Amino acid sequence: MTESFRRKKRMSTGNVLGRILMSLLVLFFLFPIYMAVLTAFKTKPEIAGSVLAAPKALYLGNFAEGIKKSDFFRAICNTCIVTFPSVLLIVICSSMCGYTIARNGKRTCLIRSIDKLFLASLMIPFQIIMIPVYKIFKSLSLQNNLIGMILMLTGTSIAYSSFLYVGFVKSIPLDIEEAASIDGCNRYQTFFRITFPLLKPISATVAALHVMWLWNDFNIALILLQKDGVRTLTVKQFYFFGQYTADYGVAFAVTLLSMIPVVIFFLFMQKYIVNGIAAGAVKN
């Protein structure tokens, strides 16, 4: 009886410590957002006076100035144009690529090599290929072009997305595809009519993850979109910080506005992200 009581006491203590640790981690990750909200509603004298102090009144001038200076509505339109077509292409191309690797990787050396090449490419930082990308896109007249931005975002996302699809496709029984083949479907009909609808969980995961990642992309947009008319939100916010000056209030105000669409999207799609990654981790 005493030993059981001690075990329960240790478990209770561990739960309390775990909850305290989790609470501290939540506060740690929410602190930057808290600072951004405070700064966005402060005047410049209040920001200079104290960073942590709450504003005396909700100052909305930063939002109005930020929308005007950043040409916010054009920037958000550019961001939508490069984000959503890229995500659509990523889902289509990666699903076909992952399906091919999963079904033919063991039989074909070339496809197996492509799989290994994709995995190796995940370890290469974008900064290493940044200068070649700049020169290639400039020579092809794809710089300052939203179509070029879409192609680049799609190309840099195929490898990871295909990796997720491979694990999920392997969990789908081959009997379903063999039955479709007996009924007269060719390989393409089998994929688009039978297999692709079964990939809905992982497709939703890939789409949700890449909407958030591409919406917040900065490195690619900085080198490819240098004209003011085609800049996305992340690049527009960058220009609020100069060599000797920084307009923190306006910058954080625009940041909060740009976060709203992707936060709402994440709240609706978070269950698909968790379920899809867990399902894609299964390999037979």
Side-chain angles (χ1 to χ4, degrees):
M1 191 70 176
T2 305
E3 182 64 26
S4 176
F5 176 76
R6 289 177 179 175
R7 190 180 298 112
K8 289 181 179 179
K9 187 175 180 180
R10 285 197 297 268
M11 292 176 61
S12 178
T13 304
N15 290 336
V16 172
L17 292 176
R19 291 179 180 180
I20 292 174
L21 180 60
M22 289 299 295
S23 300
L24 291 175
L25 287 174
V26 169
L27 292 174
F28 176 77
F29 286 110
L30 287 179
F31 182 74
I33 299 177
Y34 169 76
M35 291 298 302
V37 173
L38 279 187
T39 307
F41 288 99
K42 286 182 179 180
T43 61
K44 291 181 180 179
E46 287 177 331
I47 296 173
S50 176
V51 177
L52 297 175
K56 297 178 180 178
L58 295 181
Y59 177 66
L60 301 178
N62 290 329
F63 292 89
E65 186 178 353
I67 290 173
K68 183 179 179 181
K69 282 187 175 181
S70 65
D71 198 2
F72 181 80
F73 296 105
R74 173 180 286 185
I76 199 171
C77 182
N78 292 336
T79 305
C80 290
I81 289 172
V82 300
T83 299
F84 295 108
S86 298
V87 171
L88 180 62
L89 288 173
I90 289 166
V91 169
I92 295 173
C93 296
S94 299
S95 61
M96 293 190 292
C97 184
Y99 174 80
T100 303
I101 292 173
R103 293 296 188 237
N104 304 304
K106 292 183 179 180
R107 293 179 294 177
T108 307
C109 180
L110 177 61
I111 295 177
R112 188 163 58 249
S113 300
I114 292 174
D115 184 26
K116 303 300 181 185
L117 184 64
F118 278 175
L119 293 176
S121 69
L122 295 176
M123 296 180 285
I124 301 176
F126 176 74
Q127 287 76 8
I128 292 178
I129 63 171
M130 187 163 58
I131 295 176
V133 164
Y134 175 82
K135 290 184 176 181
I136 291 171
F137 274 68
K138 187 175 181 179
S139 64
L140 296 174
S141 300
L142 290 174
Q143 192 183 24
N144 298 315
N145 189 319
L146 295 180
I147 295 177
M149 182 69 176
I150 291 171
L151 293 175
M152 187 63 197
L153 291 175
T154 303
T156 54
S157 304
I158 291 292
Y160 178 70
S161 304
S162 299
F163 171 74
L164 293 179
Y165 274 108
V166 168
F168 197 92
V169 171
K170 287 182 178 179
S171 66
I172 298 176
L174 277 171
D175 298 344
I176 300 175
E177 297 175 15
E178 291 173 354
S181 178
I182 293 172
D183 289 338
C185 291
N186 59 35
R187 183 170 297 178
Y188 297 100
Q189 291 173 331
T190 300
F191 174 75
F192 286 107
R193 294 183 180 182
I194 306 299
T195 307
F196 188 74
L198 297 176
L199 299 176
K200 182 179 178 181
I202 192 63
S203 296
T205 301
V206 169
L209 287 173
H210 284 84
V211 164
M212 292 187 295
W213 292 343
L214 303 188
W215 187 276
N216 295 313
D217 174 78
F218 175 75
N219 290 328
I220 298 175
L222 183 64
I223 66 169
L224 293 185
L225 304 178
Q226 297 183 354
K227 287 186 178 180
D228 191 64
V230 295
R231 287 173 181 162
T232 55
L233 284 169
T234 51
V235 181
K236 286 286 189 177
Q237 295 166 28
F238 172 72
Y239 288 98
F240 286 119
F241 299 93
Q243 183 176 1
Y244 302 106
T245 59
D247 201 341
Y248 291 105
V250 175
F252 280 120
V254 176
T255 300
L256 292 178
L257 291 175
S258 64
M259 285 172 55
I260 293 174
V262 74
V263 168
I264 294 174
F265 181 83
F266 174 77
L267 292 176
F268 281 105
M269 300 294 290
Q270 58 180 337
K271 64 178 181 179
Y272 295 107
I273 296 175
V274 176
N275 295 338
I277 291 178
V282 177
K283 291 192 176 183
N284 296 329

